C-alpha cells in the first residue's frame, strides 16, 4: 500500500496538504467573490482559480511561479478565444479541435507540462457552452483571469511560507519508497518467494524510487540557505549513500539459499532487512512530522543469530567439511547488513544535528543532478512529423474531440457536449496503458460520484450538507489526483455536479445524463486510443541504446573512482544517476507495454532480463566500493588497480560490442590487457572478495550482449 494511503501518514503527506491548500484557496476565493457579486460571477472566478490550481505542485518557488503563470496566460487566452467563437457554431468547432491539438502538443515538454495541457483542455470544455457577445466574452475572460491570478498569489504566498515543510514532505516520500525497496530486497532471503519474480518487482520499484529521489533533488538541492535546509540536505545525501549501500548487498541469492537453506541464517537476514525498512519508515515519519528521529529498532537478536551461525560454519570448515563458500557468502552479507544498519544510524543523527551551513559540495554545480526543462517553441515544432508519438497523440486527441462534439450534437436529450469532451480529455493519454487505466478509474469513479450526488440531492438536500460535501470533495480532488485517480474521479464528479446544482438548480435527471455522457466519452476515447497509436515496442531500441550509453559512461566514472584516478565522487554520482534514470525509463516503458494488446508486445522477458543485468552491474560496482573501503588497510594498490583496469577494459569492450549491434556511434574501445593475477607474495584480506565480484561483473556484462541482441531481433519481428 502507498505510504500516503495509511491513516498514520496520510495527514502528514504533501498530497493531503496540497488538498487543504487547494480547498482553502478555491473556497476562499469563491466566498470572497460572493460577498461582492452573484453566484454566476463567483463560479467564473472559481473556475479560473481551479485551472491555476492544477499546476500547484511541489516545485522550487521560481519554477512554480513560471509554471502557474503559464497556466494563467494560456488558460485566459483559451477562455477568451472560445468565448468569442461561441455564437458561431462551425467556427467554434474548428477552434476547439485546434486548441485540443496544440494543447496536446505541449506534452513534448515532459511530465510537468501534462497538468498544463489538462488545464487548457478543461477550461476549453467549460467555455464551449457559453453564448456571449464580444463584450461579455471579454468580461468573462477577465473574471476567469482574476480568479487565476488570485489563486496564483495565494499559492505562491503559502508555498513560500511552507517552503521548508514541503521539502520535508517530499524527502519523506523518497525515504518511504526506499523502505519499500528494502522490503522487496528482504524477500530475497525468504525461500517462499521466486527469485525471478522478486527481481521483476525490484526493477519496477526502482523506477518509482528514482522518480521520488529526483523530486527530492529538485526541491532540496536548488536552494538550501539556512540551518533548517542544511538538515534536509544532509538527510538527502545520507539517503543516497544508503541506497548505494543497499545496492551493494546483491549477491548470488540462489547460491545463498542453496548453502543456507536449512540454517536460521536466512531468516535472520530477512529479519534484519525487514527491521531496516521499518527503521527507515520511522525516520521518514519523523521527517514528515517535523521532529528529530531516534533509532529505536533493536537489531541485536538477528545479529547474534548470524554470529552463532558463522561460528558453526567456521567450526565445520576447521573440521574439514566443504562449507567454506557458505561461510564466505554469509560473512559478506553480514558485513553489508552491518554497514546498512550503521548508515541508517547516520540518517537518524543527521535529523538531530544542527548545521551552520549546507554540507553538500558547497562549490559544486548542482545542475547535472536536477531536472532541466526548456519551454522553447522549436522543441514543439521539431515534433511536427508523423513519426513523432506526441504529434500522433495530438492528432488523436483532436479527432476524438471532434467525434465527441458530433455525437453530442445529435443526442436525444439536452446536449452536454462539454461533459463528453471533458471525459475524452481526461481519459485519452499519450500511451495506451495510461488511457486504459484512466478509462477504468474514470468510469468507476464517475458512477460512484453520481450515486453519491443523487443520494445527497434526494435525501439530504440541505444547504449545510451540500456545502459540506462540496468542500470535502474540493479538498479530496487534488489530494488523490496523483495518488489514486479513482478517488479523485469520485470527488470531482461530486464537486462539479453539486456546483452545477447550486448555479443552475440541476435535478436528478441531470446526474443520470452526466453518467450517460461519461460512458459515451469513454467509448470515444477507447476507439481513438487505437487511432495513430504509438506502441511502446517502437521506442524500446532507442531506450536500450540510452541504457548502454549511460552504462558505458557510468563504468568509466566508476573505475576512475575505484582506481583512485578521481578522488571526488561527484562525477560518479552524476553518471550513476544518469544510468538509473535510463533504466527507469526503459522499465516504465516495459510496464506500459505489458498493458497493451498482446499483438503489440515484444521481447518482454528479454527486456526485463536486460534491465536486471544492467542493474546488477551497478550493484557489483557498489559492492566493489564497499569492499575496497572495508579492506582499505594494507591494500596492494598497484596489483588491485591492475586487476580493476583489466576488468574495466573488458566490461567496456562488452558494452561497446552491445552498442555496435544496436547501430549506435561507438566510443574508442579500450585496448585488450593481459590477465592480472594477484601476487602470491601479497597478503591482503580483500583479494578473494574483489576477484569474486569482478568475475560476477564480467559475467553479467556478457549477458547484456545476449539480451540486447534478443531485444533487437524480437522487437523488429512482425507479429505472428
Amino acid at each position: 500500500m502507498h505510504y500516503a494511503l495509511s491513516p498514520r501518514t496520510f495527514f502528514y503527506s504533501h498530497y493531503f496538504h496540497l488538498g487543504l491548500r487547494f480547498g482553502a484557496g478555491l473556497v476562499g476565493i469563491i466566498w470572497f467573490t460572493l460577498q461582492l457579486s452573484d453566484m454566476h460571477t463567483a463560479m467564473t472566478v472559481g473556475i479560473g482559480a481551479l485551472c491555476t490550481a492544477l499546476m500547484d505542485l511541489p516545485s522550487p518557488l521560481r519554477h512554480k511561479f513560471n509554471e502557474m503563470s503559464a497556466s494563467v496566460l494560456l488558460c485566459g487566452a483559451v477562455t477568451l478565444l472560445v468565448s468569442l467563437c461561441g455564437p458561431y457554431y462551425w467556427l467554434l468547432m474548428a477552434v476547439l479541435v485546434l486548441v485540443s491539438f496544440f494543447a496536446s502538443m505541449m506534452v513534448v515538454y515532459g511530465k510537468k507540462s501534462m497538468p498544463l495541457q489538462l488545464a487548457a483542455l478543461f477550461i476549453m470544455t467549460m467555455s464551449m457552452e457559453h453564448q456571449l457577445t464580444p463584450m461579455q466574452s471579454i468580461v468573462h475572460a477577465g473574471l476567469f483571469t482574476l480568479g487565476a491570478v488570485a489563486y496564483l498569489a495565494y499559492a505562491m504566498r503559502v508555498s513560500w511560507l511552507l517552503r521548508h515543510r514541503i521539502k520535508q514532505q517530499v524527502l519523506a516520500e523518497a525515504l518511504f519508497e526506499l523502505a519499500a525497496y528494502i522490503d522487496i530486497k528482504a524477500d530475497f532471503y525468504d525461500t517462499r518467494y521466486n527469485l525471478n519474480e522478486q527481481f521483476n518487482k525490484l526493477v519496477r520499484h526502482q523506477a518509482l524510487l528514482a522518480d521520488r529521489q529526483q523530486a527530492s533533488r529538485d526541491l532540496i538541492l536548488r536552494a538550501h540557505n539556512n540551518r533548517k535546509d542544511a538538515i534536509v540536505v544532509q538527510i538527502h545525501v545520507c539517503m543516497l549513500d544508503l541506497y548505494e549501500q543497499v545496492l551493494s548487498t546483491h549477491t548470488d541469492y540462489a547460491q545463498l539459499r542453496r548453502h543456507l537453506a536449512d540454517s536460521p541464517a536466512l531468516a535472520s537476514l530477512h529479519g534484519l532487512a525487514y527491521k531496516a525498512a521499518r527503521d527507515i519508515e520511522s525516520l521518514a515519519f519523523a521527517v514528515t512530522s517535523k521532529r528529530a528521529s531516534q533509532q529505536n529498532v533493536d537489531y541485536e537478536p538477528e545479529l547474534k543469530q548470524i554470529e552463532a551461525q558463522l561460528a558453526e560454519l567456521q567450526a565445520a570448515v576447521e573440521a574439514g567439511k566443504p562449507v567454506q563458500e557458505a561461510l564466505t557468502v554469509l560473512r559478506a552479507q553480514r558485513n553489508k547488513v552491518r554497514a546498512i544498519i550503521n548508515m541508517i544510524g547516520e540518517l537518524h543523527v543527521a535529523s538531530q544535528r544542527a548545521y551552520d551551513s549546507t554540507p553538500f559540495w558547497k562549490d559544486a554545480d548542482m545542475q547535472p543532478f536536477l531536472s532541466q526543462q526548456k519551454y522553447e517553441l522549436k522543441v514543439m515544432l521539431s515534433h511536427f512529423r508523423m513519426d513523432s508519438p506526441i504529434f500522433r497523440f495530438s492528432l488523436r486527441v483532436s479527432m476524438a474531440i471532434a467525434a465527441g462534439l458530433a455525437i453530442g450534437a445529435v443526442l436525444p436529450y439536452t446536449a452536454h457536449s462539454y461533459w463528453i469532451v471533458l471525459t475524452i480529455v481526461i481519459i485519452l493519454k499519450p500511451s495506451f496503458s495510461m488511457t486504459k487505466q484512466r478509462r477504468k478509474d474514470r468510469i468507476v469513479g464517475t458512477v460512484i460520484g453520481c450515486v453519491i450526488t443523487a443520494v445527497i440531492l434526494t435525501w439530504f438536500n440541505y444547504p449545510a450538507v451540500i456545502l459540506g460535501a462540496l468542500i470535502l470533495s474540493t479538498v479530496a480532488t487534488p489530494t488523490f489526483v496523483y495518488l489514486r485517480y479513482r478517488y479523485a474521479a469520485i470527488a470531482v464528479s461530486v464537486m462539479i455536479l453539486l456546483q452545477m446544482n447550486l448555479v443552475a438548480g440541476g435535478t436528478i435527471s441531470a446526474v443520470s445524463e452526466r453518467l450517460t455522457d461519461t460512458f459515451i466519452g469513454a467509448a470515444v476515447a477507447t476507439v481513438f486510443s487505437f487511432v495513430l497509436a504509438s506502441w511502446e515496442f517502437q521506442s524500446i531500441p532507442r531506450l536500450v541504446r540510452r541504457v548502454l550509453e549511460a552504462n558505458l559512461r557510468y563504468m568509466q566514472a566508476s573505475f576512475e573512482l575505484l582506481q583512485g584516478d578521481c578522488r571526488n565522487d561527484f562525477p560518479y554520482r552524476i553518471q550513476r544517476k544518469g544510468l538509473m534514470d535510463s533504466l527507469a525509463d526503459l522499465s516504465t516503458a516495459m510496464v506500459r507495454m505489458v498493458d497493451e494488446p498482446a499483438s503489440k508486445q515484444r521481447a518482454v522477458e528479454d527486456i526485463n532480463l536486460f534491465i536486471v543485468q544492467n542493474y546488477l552491474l551497478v550493484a557489483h560496482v557498489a559492492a566493489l566500493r564497499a569492499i575496497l573501503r572495508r579492506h582499505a588497510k594494507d591494500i596492494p594498490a598497484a596489483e588491485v588497480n591492475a586487476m580493476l583496469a583489466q576488468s574495466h577494459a573488458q566490461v567496456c569492450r562488452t558494452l561497446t560490442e552491445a552498442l555496435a549491434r544496436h547501430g549506435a556511434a561507438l566510443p574508442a574501445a579500450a585496448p585488450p590487457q593481459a590477465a592480472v593475477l594477484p601476487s602470491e607474495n601479497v597478503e591482503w584480506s580483500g583479494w578473494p572478495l574483489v576477484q569474486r565480484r569482478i568475475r560476477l561483473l564480467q559475467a553479467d556484462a556478457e549477458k547484456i550482449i545476449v539480451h540486447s541482441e534478443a531485444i533487437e531481433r524480437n522487437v523488429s519481428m512482425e507479429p505472428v
Side-chain angles (χ1 to χ4, degrees), residues 11-23:
F11 296 104
Y12 291 101
S13 69
H14 69 82
Y15 299 100
F16 178 67
H17 284 223
L18 170 62
L20 283 182
R21 184 166 71 244
F22 175 95

Side-chain angles (χ1 to χ4, degrees), residues 98-163:
L98 286 173
V99 169
S100 303
F101 174 80
F102 284 104
S104 299
M105 282 297 299
M106 289 190 298
V107 176
V108 299
Y109 298 117
K111 185 170 64 175
K112 279 205 167 184
S113 66
M114 293 188 73
L116 182 60
Q117 179 237 7
L118 178 60
L121 294 179
F122 176 78
I123 191 53
M124 179 192 79
T125 61
M126 292 293 102
S127 303
M128 60 184 278
E129 293 291 304
H130 299 305
Q131 298 287 329
L132 305 175
T133 65
M135 183 53 66
Q136 289 173 329
S137 298
I138 293 173
V139 172
H140 176 77
L143 291 172
F144 172 90
T145 305
L146 179 63
V149 171
Y151 189 88
L152 169 62
Y154 159 80
M156 291 304 301
R157 178 61 177 169
V158 172
S159 297
W160 184 82
L161 291 173
L162 299 177
R163 59 195 183 279

Side-chain angles (χ1 to χ4, degrees), residues 210 214 217 546 576-586:
Q214 187 57 48
R217 286 188 191 96
R546 280 184 54 191
R576 183 183 64 188
K577 174 188 175 298
L579 176 55
M580 287 302 190
D581 288 347
S582 63
L583 283 172
D585 290 341
L586 180 58

Side-chain angles (χ1 to χ4, degrees), residues 47-56 67-68 70-72 74-76 78-79 99 103 106 113-127 144 422 425-426 429 482:
I47 290 175
L50 175 61
C51 287
T52 307
L54 292 173
M55 296 297 295
D56 188 7
E67 291 159 1
M68 296 182 74
S71 178
V72 171
L74 178 63
C75 293
V78 169
T79 302
V99 169
M106 289 190 298
S113 66
M114 293 188 73
L116 182 60
Q117 179 237 7
L118 178 60
L121 294 179
F122 176 78
I123 191 53
M124 179 192 79
T125 61
M126 292 293 102
S127 303
F144 172 90
L422 182 61
V425 164
I426 290 173
K429 296 299 175 186
Y482 299 107

Side-chain angles (χ1 to χ4, degrees), residues 164 167-168 170-172 174-175 178 213 216 220-221 227-243 280 283-284 286-288 291-293 343-353 355 359-360 573:
H164 180 69
K167 290 179 181 180
Q168 289 176 320
V170 173
L171 174 60
L175 287 166
L178 178 58
Q213 288 179 341
S216 178
I220 291 173
L221 300 186
R227 294 166 66 89
K228 288 184 178 180
D229 285 346
I231 294 174
V232 294
V233 169
Q234 187 65 20
I235 294 174
H236 175 85
V237 175
C238 288
M239 174 187 69
L240 296 180
D241 290 339
L242 174 60
Y243 175 49
I280 295 171
L283 171 71
V287 170
T288 197
R291 58 182 175 82
S293 177
M343 296 193 75
I344 294 175
E346 292 176 13
L347 271 171
H348 287 286
V349 171
S351 73
Q352 303 163 9
R353 187 181 299 168
Y355 300 91
F360 181 65
R573 289 174 179 267

Side-chain angles (χ1 to χ4, degrees), residues 525-545:
T526 300
V527 170
F528 279 91
S529 65
F530 292 91
V531 176
L532 296 177
S534 295
W535 305 106
E536 292 297 333
F537 79 86
Q538 296 168 330
S539 66
I540 293 299
R542 172 178 56 83
L543 294 174
V544 167
R545 284 194 297 272

Side-chain angles (χ1 to χ4, degrees), residues 247-304:
L247 285 175
S248 75
T249 61
H250 173 78
T251 188
D252 187 338
Y253 292 101
Q255 181 190 61
L256 189 69
R257 290 180 175 188
R258 185 170 61 253
H259 285 307
L260 303 173
D262 299 325
S263 77
L266 282 180
S268 299
L269 288 169
H270 180 275
L272 286 170
Y274 178 82
K275 284 187 174 182
R278 303 292 76 75
D279 205 356
I280 295 171
E281 282 184 353
S282 71
L283 171 71
F285 185 71
V287 170
T288 197
S289 54
K290 300 189 295 184
R291 58 182 175 82
S293 177
Q294 302 292 332
Q295 189 169 25
N296 298 315
V297 175
D298 182 14
Y299 298 98
E300 282 305 312
E302 288 79 10
L303 288 173
K304 287 180 179 177

